[in-house]
Structure formats: C-alpha cells, structure tokens
Amino acid sequence: MPRVVTTLLLCGLLALSPGGPAEAQQPPVPPPVPPGQAPPPPPPVPIAQDIAGRVKVFIDCSGFWGCDFDYFREHLSYVDHVRDRAVADVHLLITAQSTGAGGEEATLAFIGRGAFDRVNDELRISWPPNSTDDAIRQALIGKIKLGLTRYVAHSEPADSLRITAGAAAARTPAGPTRDPWNHWVFRLRFNGNMNGESSTSYESFSGGLSANRVTEAWKTSISGSAAYRESSYDLGDDEPYVSISRDSSLNVLQVKSLTAHWSLGVRGSIGSSTYTNKALYLSAAPAIEYNLFPYAESTRRALVFQYAVGVASNQYRELTIYDKTSETQATHSFLVDVEARQPWGQVSASVDFSQFLTQLDNYRVQSFGMVELRLKKGLSLNVGGGGSWIRDQIYLPKGDATTEEILVRQRQLATSYSYSVYFGVSYTFGSIFNNIVNPRFSSSSGGGMMVMYY
C-alpha cells in the first residue's frame, strides 16, 4: 500500500512539473529583455483552419456531477459528439469548485486539436446554492454554445446558424451589487433514516448548522453538527441487543489570504463522540499554507504544503489503556496535497502526518491517491487507494470489547493500520460518433418489468 500511494504522489508531481502534461497548455515564458532593447513582437495568434463536415466535440466532465450528456446532445445537434478526445476537433474540459455563497463555479476549457491546434479558450460560469439540475444544465449549455461558436464558424454548418442577443445584452452594465448579508451564507439541515426487518432495525437522525463568509481576502467557516444512531438486533435472547452511538461537534476555520500562493489560518474544534471514547474534546491549531501554483488555477492543478501546530485536550468517557481520564497534548501536522486535472486524465494524492509533540512515538500517517488516465484511443485506466499508519490511539478504553461491540462497530478498536484499494480498466471500440439520444427502457427500476431475486 505505501508503494501505491507513493507512486500516485510521484505521478501527480510529474504531471505538475515543467514540461509535464500539466504544462502542455501553458504559454511559454518570454526571456527577459536586455536594457535599451525593444521587446520582441508577440508570437502570432493561432488561426483556426476550415474543416470539412461538422466539428467533432469530446465533452469531458467525468469529475463534475452536473453534466447531462443526453441534454448536451439534444441541444448541440450541429456538432458531432465523439467518445474519445483522440479523434476530437475540440476537447471541452469542465471542472468546478465551490463558491463562497455555497454554490459552484464551473471552468470550461476549450482545447483545440487538429485543424484547431493551439486555438484554445476558457470561460467561467457560476450558479447559486440550491440551484435545480435543470437550471444548472441550462446555464452550462448556454456557455458551451458561446465557447463553441469560434470553432463552428469554420465548419460546414456555419452558414445555417444564427446568433441572437436577448434584451439583457443591450442593457447598460450595472454597478456592483449591494449585498445586505455582507457575504455571509447560513445553512440549517436535518436528516433522518429508518429501516428494518423482522430481526433487525436501524434509525439515525442528524442535524447541523453552518455560517460561511468568503471574500478574496478572508475565509470564515463555522459549522456544528450532532448525530444519533441506534441499531437493534434480535439474537434469539430474551431482549434484543441495542447499539447506540452519539456524536456532536463545533468547528471553526479562519483563513487570511496573503498572496497568490500563501495563506495563514487557524482551526478550532470542540465536540464529543461515543465511538472514540471522548466525552469532550477541544483542539486549536494555527497553520500556514503554500501553493506552488496560484490559487486561481486550483480547478486544474495545485501542489499544496501545509504545516500546523497546536494543542488538543480530551476528557474520556471510560478509563483509557494508559489509565487516563483526561489529558492535554501539544500537536503538529504536515500535509502535502497534489491535484492535477488535464486532458489526459486526473491525478490526486495526499500525505498527512500528525504527531503529539510531548509523545513523539504517538503519531499517524494518512495517505490517499487516485489516478484516471486515458492511455490511448478507447483505453482508460483508474487506480487508487489509501492507507494509514496508526500509532496515536491514546483514547482507546481500557478492557476488551465485547463480541457485540466488535460486530456492530460500536467503538473504535485497536489497530496499527488501515487501507483501501480499488482499480479498473476499460476499453471502448466501434463507432466514434455518439449523437443519438434514445431514452427507451432506461428506467433504473427495470422499465416497469418484474425483477426476480434468487
């Protein structure tokens, strides 16, 4: 497992290195101009060449939940939709990130290929929180049409297309909008879930509230939550076995933007958890963060280093394996996180090290990595996993867990590691065109037919 995550982390670093795939779309940096000399003329702007037939478009938004490919095919009928970027004239890469108001901002990168080589463009669009799926796809399709116009203008269907402007386009641009909430966004939530059968039952209830304020200079996040979970099992005894767990927390994050690459922040939390034997826990830690690339490029690439040092205090529900009912520890942590989403695929990897400064042999290393690659025409690979090296379970209650507590995972058990791995490969071949929408018999319930279970 360590080798897998290390390899994925190295893949991410390679993707971000100069000359690597992540740099493929970046313009070259001009050399410095000697004193007294005029700067050289700018490089020529790439010019699109006319093509025969229709523009072949590959829409790539596998990492973005808001894509509705059937809707795109219906409303972009004047282009050919292809299933592989290797045969496309335009590769449309869509990425997204959350906004301060709780909505999302999507970045649409139009990457020209073939006759449109180096004819690239980038558009952005955002929508407010609680937007419906239909509102999001309408906003996306409108921006996609605008971005494709420069390419479609060089194709055969261009003469049959018309561009119209609504009444809003002729209005005078308005000034800055007054915000009576001063960028604050509040959210309340409550969730419930119940299910069961003759011998078992389960119910859970949770609620939370949050207050967030995000500007270019400051980021403030306050969130609180509480949860109750109860499971009942009929084991054939007089009374069923009932497992109950509760947890609650309040978390605060304050971040100050220093430059395009540097940030300062502080985290604080207070809460309780029956699962981890904590009647009350408190922690606070200031931190500093550096991003090798500007934060504005975070939807496409990032290499983040973060260091924090602070204090953590615990009051335990039961006596721990170290005969403690409470304790306070100085802590520190170091995080490395790399993200790259490019036309060839995406890579994500992170390593997080945390340690008690007063007990250096108590530490934890957590790592995660994933990579999705389009190796060649029709062939794609995805692999990922995570692992933890655990040496900091100072909160474990003294005494052995019962068989029932182990089976229903009512409390945290002693372990020195944890891991998870997944992988997959797919190969698609045949027709490269994918323009037809046919929703017949697409219901997930089997189209109304009886489903037999064996």
Side-chain angles (χ1 to χ4, degrees), residues 289-307:
E289 182 178 275
Y290 173 73
N291 190 346
L292 182 63
F293 302 98
Y295 284 104
E297 300 179 13
S298 58
T299 60
R300 296 289 297 275
R301 59 180 185 172
L303 178 54
V304 172
F305 303 89
Q306 185 185 105
Y307 179 74

Side-chain angles (χ1 to χ4, degrees), residues 146-221:
L146 286 176
L148 288 176
T149 300
R150 65 183 302 182
Y151 304 100
V152 176
H154 294 273
S155 67
E156 290 184 1
D159 293 337
S160 61
L161 299 179
R162 297 293 181 268
I163 299 176
T164 59
R171 297 173 185 167
T172 302
T177 303
R178 179 181 175 273
D179 182 4
W181 293 96
N182 193 25
H183 300 288
W184 280 101
V185 178
F186 302 90
R187 183 186 182 192
L188 300 172
R189 65 174 179 84
F190 177 79
N191 302 292
N193 178 27
M194 292 175 286
N195 60 73
E197 51 187 51
S198 59
S199 59
T200 64
S201 64
Y202 172 80
E203 59 184 36
S204 71
F205 304 95
S206 63
L209 56 89
S210 65
N212 298 280
R213 185 177 187 269
V214 178
T215 66
E216 291 292 336
W218 290 93
K219 178 179 180 180
T220 304
S221 176

